Amino acid sequence: MLWLLLLQVLASCLWLGHSEVVTSFADCPQFFYEGAPPDAVLEPQNPAWICQRYSNAYQYATLYDRDRRIPVYSAYKYQPKSDKIHDPWWFVEPQLIDKSSLKDMERESVLIEQQEFTLDQIKQSQAVFEDYNQLIGLDRGHLSPSGHQDSIDSKTATFTLTNIVPQDRSLNNGKWSVYEFKTMAIKSKGCTTTYVITGAVPGNNYVAQGRVNRPSHIWSAACCQKNTIRRTWAVIAENNKNEVQHLTLGELEARLSQLYRKGTVSLFHSDCPR
């Protein structure tokens, strides 16, 4: 009997350890339709699953690439309100430095002056403010944009460098901006809830003295829910020109499968039409 009990305990421990790996967004499943994040094809070699937390609450979710120092994607609910953030602080993620550290995103200066981290410690597995300070022809491109959020806290939380990629300036201020603020409003009209995943395909070039990857493409997909009816749409843009291509969800997934060359990409739960 004792031997059988020990086997049961060991099996339970193994199962618990396995669940921690496969349910990385377990603390913030609400940002994914039916709680289902994209499959593992998009995962980098050195990933970090971040439930983006600000003001003691989760605001959206990000899969982050520690080696390339850019997000793979950010997932959120589209809930736009017109409140604007004036001169926001830029944050970094303490959890990428030390998992026993602060749970909320924080400013570099606070981590250095109050938490006694060094800048080198912060820089080791994420981008910092100086990485984006002297970019030429590139902007800090939000994957989860502040204009798609519904409160001051959730808008403020988008200004973290774990939600930012080097984005072509003409694209960010041009066709991508049109999609974010005009097309999304039209497409999501009548939706009870619109789930959005916006991501970046890693490129071959780096900026900030080789520290931060410049993505080759920026993409976004949405799954709109209204009672039992679901609609989807998607876009992709090359990150060196001011053009946005409109696709079905299935077409975007096929395109990403080609770009990543690691398998078939699935971004949303199967209930979202392709």
Side-chain angles (χ1 to χ4, degrees):
M1 291 294 293
L2 179 59
W3 177 78
L4 180 60
L5 179 61
L6 288 172
L7 281 179
Q8 289 174 334
V9 170
L10 177 60
S12 175
C13 290
L14 289 172
W15 182 86
L16 286 170
H18 183 65
S19 72
E20 289 175 358
V21 173
V22 299
T23 57
S24 301
F25 288 118
D27 288 340
C28 54
Q30 66 269 28
F31 302 114
F32 302 93
Y33 178 74
E34 291 293 326
D39 56 27
V41 174
L42 300 182
E43 291 177 12
Q45 289 188 345
N46 193 7
W49 291 265
I50 305 172
C51 290
Q52 298 279 15
R53 183 168 142 154
Y54 177 75
S55 193
N56 203 34
Y58 294 128
Q59 309 295 345
Y60 58 99
T62 299
L63 177 62
Y64 192 75
D65 187 334
R66 295 171 180 262
D67 293 335
R68 296 184 176 98
R69 298 182 179 89
I70 57 169
V72 178
Y73 61 74
S74 285
Y76 60 94
K77 293 180 183 179
Y78 176 71
Q79 303 173 106
K81 287 195 176 176
S82 60
D83 298 338
K84 292 185 178 180
I85 305 295
H86 298 285
D87 299 323
W89 298 104
W90 284 97
F91 298 102
V92 292
E93 179 52 62
Q95 293 288 298
L96 292 179
I97 310 165
D98 179 359
K99 288 188 176 181
S100 64
S101 186
L102 305 176
K103 303 302 181 184
D104 284 14
M105 59 184 70
E106 191 50 87
R107 287 174 287 157
E108 290 174 35
S109 59
V110 171
L111 295 182
I112 293 170
E113 295 168 10
Q114 298 181 19
Q115 301 299 319
E116 298 184 351
F117 286 115
T118 66
L119 182 58
D120 284 343
Q121 286 177 308
I122 301 172
K123 292 171 67 174
Q124 187 171 355
S125 59
Q126 63 187 302
V128 294
F129 185 77
E130 69 178 24
D131 291 328
Y132 285 87
N133 218 14
Q134 296 181 335
L135 296 183
I136 299 174
L138 297 169
D139 284 345
R140 299 179 185 94
H142 289 70
L143 297 191
S144 174
S146 63
H148 288 189
Q149 305 295 330
D150 66 345
S151 69
I152 295 297
D153 282 348
S154 59
K155 289 175 182 291
T156 300
T158 65
F159 289 89
T160 171
L161 295 172
T162 54
N163 180 48
I164 299 297
V165 298
Q167 185 174 15
D168 181 87
R169 184 162 297 159
S170 64
L171 175 64
N172 189 39
N173 295 328
K175 297 292 181 63
W176 193 263
S177 180
V178 171
Y179 173 74
E180 283 186 334
F181 297 107
K182 293 184 179 179
T183 307
M184 276 293 294
I186 295 170
K187 292 275 193 182
S188 63
K189 190 173 182 180
C191 298
T192 304
T193 308
T194 301
Y195 295 87
V196 181
I197 301 174
T198 300
V201 180
N204 296 322
N205 298 314
Y206 284 75
V207 298
Q209 298 180 332
R211 282 181 38 80
V212 179
N213 185 266
R214 175 177 175 166
S216 64
H217 297 75
I218 312 293
W219 56 268
S220 186
C223 183
C224 152
Q225 181 179 16
K226 184 179 181 181
N227 300 323
T228 59
I229 300 172
R230 297 168 188 85
R231 297 189 284 114
T232 58
W233 60 89
V235 293
I236 193 169
E238 294 182 48
N239 193 27
N240 59 2
K241 59 183 70 171
N242 183 24
E243 296 178 9
V244 170
Q245 184 179 4
H246 293 257
L247 306 170
T248 65
L249 174 58
E251 288 171 339
L252 175 62
E253 290 175 333
R255 184 76 179 277
L256 293 177
S257 298
Q258 293 174 346
L259 290 168
Y260 276 87
R261 298 180 181 180
K262 295 195 302 181
T264 302
V265 171
S266 177
L267 297 175
F268 283 106
H269 187 278
S270 59
D271 284 351
C272 297
R274 265 57 186 177

